Amino acid sequence: MSSIKPARPEWQVKPETPLQFLRGVGEGRARLLETAGLTTVYDLLYFFPFRYEDRRLRVQIADLRKIDRPVTLRGRVVSAGSKISAVRRLKIFEAILDDGTGTIMVVWFNQPYLADKIKRGDQIAIYGQPRLDKYGRLQIESPDYEKIDEAGDSEEEGNIVPVYSSVASITPKVMRRIVSQALPAVAHLEDPLPPAIRQILAIGELQDAIVRIHRPAELDETFLSSRSPAHLRVILQEFFAFQLALRVRRASEESRPKGRTIVVDDAMRAEVRRILPFRLTGAQKRVTKEIADDLRREKPMYRLLQGDVGSGKTIVALIAAVIAIRNGHQVALLAPTEILAEQHYQRIRQLVGSSLRIAKGTGSMSAGERRTLIAGLREGVIDLVVGTHAILEEKIVFKSLGLAIVDEQHRFGVEQRQKLFEKGDLPDILVMTATPIPRSLALALYGDLELSVIDELPPGREAIKTAVRGAAQIEKVYRFIDEQLGEGAQAYVVYPLIEESEKIDLTPLSQGFETLRQRFPGRRVAMLHGRMPATEKEETMQRYKQGEIDLLVSTTVIEVGIDVGNASMMLIMDADRFGLSQLHQLRGRVGRGTRKSYCVLIRDERSSEEAKQRLRLFEGARNGFDVAEKDLEIRGAGDFLGTRQSGIPKFRFGNIVRDHALMERARDAAIGYLESAGLPAAVALVRELIGGGTKHVTRD
Ligand code: ADP
Ligand code: MG
């Protein structure tokens, strides 16, 4: 820290000092800085460089020809002048530097004001990339420069120099000078994390970390990949603050008991056994028990049930529903598409017969159906409603909503979950996802949910044979499909249309449908997409389920949840246009029965090397979690979860993808702290952390 000079010797810069008091800031620049959320010196301490320049390579002009990387050199200006380039009408400022071993031409474009700053006779240090001009003469274009003072001292020359982003019209270079003045205030910074937590998180002191990030000692791999002790300290503090805030919020909510007592008795167990058409897998039993235990607790359940496609989440949800209903409460099951809601409705009816009073609630209900539903839920004559977002509307009121289940929850935003939640008096909540979110990301997104994982598929499931083929080989693929259909199997053919957009161009799908109809004259071919009238969609799905359709040509509406055991062939057209997780979801539509199943991905002959590699990677990945990790790496968290996902926390220093493991460490530490220190202390610490260094942690 000794290298950092205070702004004015007689005057100490403190974290709370307003920025206008810094040398070279003043009121005008202070206002500009404020637009970027920088008001005090404290804010500047956390205003980190986004890259660094290693200016330690100091050379003499005579040696320049041997070097092809940015260098630092110092010399006297022997001539300087401006001119206008004839070709591009650029304003050019030129200077010739002499360091005693030789001279070099230095050129700046469109910075005419330099003429007032760099004068003949000045001693300057520059940092830039040496090049040969078209005549083979050495020159350096637009280098960073620094004037050397009388004593020959300089701040940047020959150092590792931090580069900050510009703020409004304040250049990176000026930002560097401003931040430099803030740095001595680090000495007055209190570490908000008690030593015990620092120890658990295995991190060092805040002061050192901040100084090191602004003024690295070394630019090694560890530092540049944000893995230095300084980086870990800052990231873990940010994650810890986030996790503790989640825990505190939840602990406060839980301080009120849910006000209903749930018991599980033998009659219910017998009923569940009657309903079950198969034996639960070990994983299903385990998560069912986790859920039943939660339901019986005084505090409301808040649990994420995660399981690969086809792992059997629906039956677990149904068991939970039976428990809630037999204890006298209502249950809502929310699904993202009408097709899926319909499927759940049919399946559950089939399993429970008339022992439960079930209703369906979707956007395509008639006015009469809607009235019946509203009355039934209000008066408590409906036990279970299965529906889409239509059941979130205000008119829908429950007599006593005890359990809210959200299927494929990544398709819903926080707001929609909240709406459902508010329809009950602290209802128990179970959210399910077949998008295998890596555990670390689940923690980041839903750190306040408990996590149950079904990590085992029902018995007898064979791996789905997956292959990637170029579009030119399509005829061979058709022949294979025909063979399969001949053996009584059914197939899906999926075209990449974005179902969520308002405008949807159905041409590729309709053309594909026509082509396939002609190619498979003896087979029953049908088409399915989200824009079809609900009744038609339902009818088509029903016919497919009953084996009356051989080949279903569809958009991604069948992506989530659809379950037809006899379908064993999935053909995905233009596969390069899907994300890996989406491909995995689609592939999960087959391999649900006893037939050997296949998934063939057709890619464009001209697809990029990168796209090919991605598909190859998918071809080899069996487990949804592997796919998700890879997808996350390739696309980043935002795209991975889709634009419709809300509630992704934004971090300033940490990166959910890169810093997986740190998030888990932070979560464990937060849980431990809340337990040992108690709620009031944790609330105080959250205030301190979020009001201070990590106030940028937001959830939207
Ligand atoms: P997902 O987890 O993708 O929602 P589903 O609940 O739709 O999966 O279940 C997939 C298929 O597996 C369904 O046909 C279901 O009946 C079947 N299934 C679920 N659990 C078992 C089990 N324990 N044994 C046999 N089949 C099961
Ligand atoms: Mg499902």
Side-chain angles (χ1 to χ4, degrees):
M1 251 192 290
S2 53
S3 65
I4 300 156
K5 291 179 281 186
R8 296 168 199 164
E10 77 283 8
W11 181 77
Q12 282 199 326
V13 182
K14 297 258 176 66
E16 62 275 14
T17 307
L19 295 182
Q20 69 184 82
F21 297 120
L22 294 182
R23 177 159 37 91
V25 178
E27 267 177 49
R29 276 187 176 158
R31 265 197 302 276
L32 291 179
L33 291 167
E34 201 175 343
T35 60
L38 303 169
T39 54
T40 62
V41 161
Y42 182 94
D43 301 327
L44 282 186
L45 293 178
Y46 280 98
F47 185 74
F48 291 155
F50 71 96
R51 67 180 179 88
Y52 302 87
E53 280 173 1
D54 189 345
R55 302 190 180 179
R56 288 172 301 178
L57 182 62
R58 310 165 76 136
V59 298
Q60 297 192 312
I61 293 173
D63 296 329
L64 264 190
R65 286 196 181 260
K66 292 177 242 155
I67 301 166
D68 188 27
R69 49 162 286 195
V71 296
T72 293
L73 58 88
R74 184 193 272 219
R76 196 162 292 283
V77 178
V78 292
S79 84
S82 306
K83 67 176 192 190
I84 304 247
S85 112
V87 195
R88 284 185 293 161
R89 309 290 308 156
L90 286 174
K91 294 191 179 106
I92 297 179
F93 178 71
E94 292 178 335
I96 293 174
L97 278 194
D98 185 340
D99 71 349
T101 72
T103 59
I104 184 169
M105 170 78 87
V106 188
V107 189
W108 285 274
F109 302 100
N110 278 339
Q111 298 181 56
Y113 52 86
L114 287 178
D116 299 329
K117 302 203 167 169
I118 300 175
K119 296 262 162 57
R120 206 175 135 199
D122 283 349
Q123 171 97 292
I124 65 171
I126 60 170
Y127 170 77
Q129 168 79 46
R131 289 182 212 292
L132 294 177
D133 71 8
K134 60 181 178 213
Y135 306 108
R137 290 174 308 203
L138 261 184
Q139 72 170 36
I140 296 186
E141 285 178 14
S142 304
D144 212 12
Y145 79 96
E146 185 188 16
K147 257 167 124 162
I148 308 300
D149 64 18
E150 309 282 277
D153 282 348
S154 98
E155 268 191 36
E156 295 169 354
E157 182 190 9
N159 286 326
I160 294 171
V161 174
V163 182
Y164 299 90
S165 51
S166 53
V167 171
S169 59
I170 308 176
T171 64
K173 195 173 160 109
V174 173
M175 282 310 296
R176 177 154 64 234
R177 270 191 232 129
I178 296 175
V179 177
S180 277
Q181 290 179 69
L183 278 189
V186 149
H188 302 279
L189 203 59
E190 255 180 65
D191 195 328
L193 291 180
I197 299 179
R198 293 209 300 267
Q199 203 179 348
I200 292 171
L201 290 172
I203 50 176
E205 295 213 13
L206 180 63
Q207 297 190 355
D208 298 342
I210 289 184
V211 172
R212 274 297 151 240
I213 292 178
H214 288 283
R215 295 280 185 271
E218 214 26 84
L219 286 184
D220 50 19
E221 185 49 34
T222 318
F223 190 89
L224 292 175
S225 57
S226 299
R227 279 291 163 278
S228 73
H231 289 98
L232 295 186
R233 158 73 216 211
V234 176
I235 295 167
L236 276 164
Q237 176 171 329
E238 179 172 47
F239 284 177
F240 177 78
F242 172 72
Q243 292 290 343
L244 191 62
L246 287 180
R247 293 277 137 191
V248 160
R249 191 179 68 193
R250 192 162 154 219
S252 327
E253 275 168 10
E254 281 168 2
S255 56
R256 190 159 72 90
K258 62 190 175 194
R260 58 181 172 274
T261 315
I262 304 283
V263 296
V264 179
D265 61 23
D266 285 341
M268 289 174 215
R269 289 193 190 94
E271 181 172 1
V272 167
R273 270 196 299 276
R274 268 201 310 279
I275 292 174
L276 280 181
F278 39 63
R279 289 166 67 103
L280 293 181
T281 62
Q284 283 171 319
K285 279 190 200 147
R286 191 185 67 240
V287 303
T288 303
K289 181 166 184 316
E290 284 165 357
I291 293 166
D293 287 348
D294 274 3
L295 292 174
R296 288 195 302 231
R297 290 210 177 90
E298 249 190 16
K299 59 183 197 188
M301 169 169 83
Y302 203 23
R303 188 170 280 277
L304 174 65
L305 174 57
Q306 193 185 62
D308 208 344
V309 267
S311 61
K313 295 182 290 294
T314 318
I315 193 77
V316 173
L318 180 60
I319 296 172
V322 169
I323 296 174
I325 292 166
R326 291 302 172 231
N327 277 278
H329 302 282
Q330 290 167 295
V331 177
L333 169 55
L334 181 64
T337 63
E338 272 187 30
I339 295 178
L340 189 51
E342 177 68 30
Q343 175 185 290
H344 279 323
Y345 175 75
Q346 299 292 349
R347 166 88 60 76
I348 293 172
R349 291 215 47 163
Q350 208 182 350
L351 289 175
V352 304
S354 56
S355 66
L356 297 182
R357 296 165 300 179
I358 312 176
K360 193 170 57 171
T362 64
S364 55
M365 287 179 285
S366 69
E369 285 168 327
R370 190 161 160 270
R371 268 197 304 276
T372 314
L373 178 70
I374 290 175
L377 287 174
R378 193 182 48 225
E379 281 148 32
V381 294
I382 294 173
D383 299 319
L384 169 64
V385 59
V386 181
T388 59
H389 52 269
I391 62 172
L392 298 178
E393 64 175 275
E394 236 166 83
K395 283 269 176 56
I396 304 270
V397 178
F398 290 78
K399 179 156 186 255
S400 164
L401 179 64
L403 171 65
I405 304 170
V406 182
D407 193 18
E408 309 293 346
Q409 72 82 36
H410 62 287
R411 292 292 194 101
F412 294 98
V414 174
E415 207 178 293
Q416 288 162 312
R417 264 180 278 161
Q418 191 63 25
K419 266 193 197 153
L420 188 57
F421 181 75
E422 281 163 8
K423 289 192 183 293
D425 181 20
L426 294 182
D428 290 300
I429 305 235
L430 178 65
V431 297
M432 311 197 285
T433 185
T435 297
I437 303 169
R439 183 180 157 77
S440 52
L441 186 56
L443 285 179
L445 295 175
Y446 320 110
D448 49 351
L449 272 76
E450 303 297 333
L451 194 58
S452 285
V453 181
I454 305 185
D455 51 6
E456 179 187 354
L457 292 180
R461 297 271 175 86
E462 265 185 84
I464 301 161
K465 193 164 166 27
T466 306
V468 181
R469 296 285 180 264
Q473 290 159 286
I474 191 76
E475 184 46 39
K476 255 169 113 175
V477 177
Y478 287 158
R479 275 203 294 275
F480 180 71
I481 293 180
D482 209 34
E483 266 169 40
Q484 294 293 308
L485 298 183
E487 287 169 21
Q490 288 168 278
Y492 297 98
V493 180
V494 176
Y495 283 84
L497 295 182
I498 315 301
E499 277 286 338
E500 279 141 31
S501 66
E502 281 305 312
K503 274 188 293 173
I504 165 169
D505 179 10
L506 290 169
T507 327
L509 181 71
S510 324
Q511 281 172 355
F513 174 60
E514 272 315 311
T515 310
L516 288 160
R517 262 221 310 218
Q518 285 166 21
R519 175 59 187 78
F520 296 92
R523 309 285 178 202
R524 295 159 301 179
V525 184
M527 178 162 67
L528 183 73
H529 60 81
R531 302 285 151 199
M532 276 160 48
T535 46
E536 222 175 288
K537 272 191 278 191
E538 254 166 55
E539 201 197 299
T540 308
M541 255 345 274
Q542 278 315 323
R543 282 173 43 224
Y544 190 63
K545 271 184 195 181
Q546 282 153 16
E548 293 164 16
I549 294 172
D550 303 306
L551 203 62
L552 187 62
V553 186
S554 163
T555 62
T556 52
V557 277
I558 58 131
E559 175 188 337
V560 287
I562 298 304
D563 183 47
V564 178
N566 191 48
S568 61
M569 175 79 216
M570 168 63 68
L571 176 62
I572 304 173
M573 309 302 274
D574 287 332
D576 12 5
R577 292 172 55 189
F578 295 94
L580 292 187
S581 291
Q582 207 177 10
L583 290 175
H584 183 69
Q585 288 279 346
L586 287 170
R587 178 168 62 183
R589 294 313 115 217
V590 297
R592 296 182 153 249
T594 44
R595 279 182 191 283
K596 170 84 191 141
S597 293
Y598 303 88
C599 174
V600 180
L601 311 167
I602 303 295
R603 66 164 171 75
D604 198 314
E605 293 294 347
R606 293 157 311 191
S607 58
S608 69
E609 199 42 51
E610 188 230 312
K612 279 185 209 164
Q613 204 183 340
R614 230 163 42 93
L615 293 180
R616 264 200 300 275
L617 199 144
F618 177 74
E619 206 176 356
R622 287 283 159 266
N623 175 319
F625 285 81
D626 294 347
V627 172
E629 295 273 2
K630 291 280 182 297
D631 211 9
L632 198 54
E633 270 167 38
I634 294 172
R635 296 195 294 162
D639 285 342
F640 170 76
L641 293 161
T643 40
R644 298 176 79 205
Q645 171 73 39
S646 28
I648 303 175
K650 296 190 177 63
F651 295 101
R652 195 166 149 195
F653 309 123
N655 172 320
I656 315 180
V657 179
R658 183 191 64 197
D659 304 328
H660 279 189
L662 300 183
M663 185 59 88
E664 298 198 31
R665 204 195 294 178
R667 171 182 143 123
D668 293 345
I671 294 173
Y673 180 75
L674 182 58
E675 264 169 24
S676 61
L679 188 56
V683 169
L685 183 54
V686 165
R687 284 225 178 91
E688 164 119 31
L689 285 168
I690 294 194
T694 39
K695 65 182 166 193
H696 46 271
V697 174
T698 55
R699 279 195 112 175
D700 55 11

